[in-house]
Amino acid sequence: MSRLTKENCDFLVKIPMLGNITSLNASVSAGIVMYEARKQRMEK
C-alpha cells in the first residue's frame, strides 16, 4: 500500500495470519473483520 493511500485512510486494520499467506482479497478480509466485530459485541 502506498504512503499516500495510507495517509488518506481513516484507520488501518491488520489481520494476523499464520503461514506464508501475505494478503487476502477484499471480500474475505471484510468477512473476517465483520465476524470479529460481531463476536466482540456479543461478549459484552
Side-chain angles (χ1 to χ4, degrees), residues 17 20-25 29:
M17 298 183 289
N20 293 331
I21 300 169
T22 57
S23 66
L24 300 171
N25 68 36
S29 300

Side-chain angles (χ1 to χ4, degrees), residues 1-3 5 7-8 11 13-15 17 19 23 25-27 32 35 38-40:
M1 181 182 301
S2 73
R3 178 191 56 80
T5 300
E7 288 175 0
N8 285 296
F11 58 91
V13 175
K14 182 172 180 158
I15 300 171
M17 298 183 289
S23 66
N25 68 36
S27 63
I32 292 169
Y35 169 82
R38 185 163 193 262
K39 184 176 124 185
Q40 289 181 19

Side-chain angles (χ1 to χ4, degrees), residues 31-44:
I32 292 169
V33 169
M34 287 185 280
Y35 169 82
E36 186 61 29
R38 185 163 193 262
K39 184 176 124 185
Q40 289 181 19
R41 287 185 182 138
M42 298 296 287
E43 291 174 355
K44 291 182 179 182

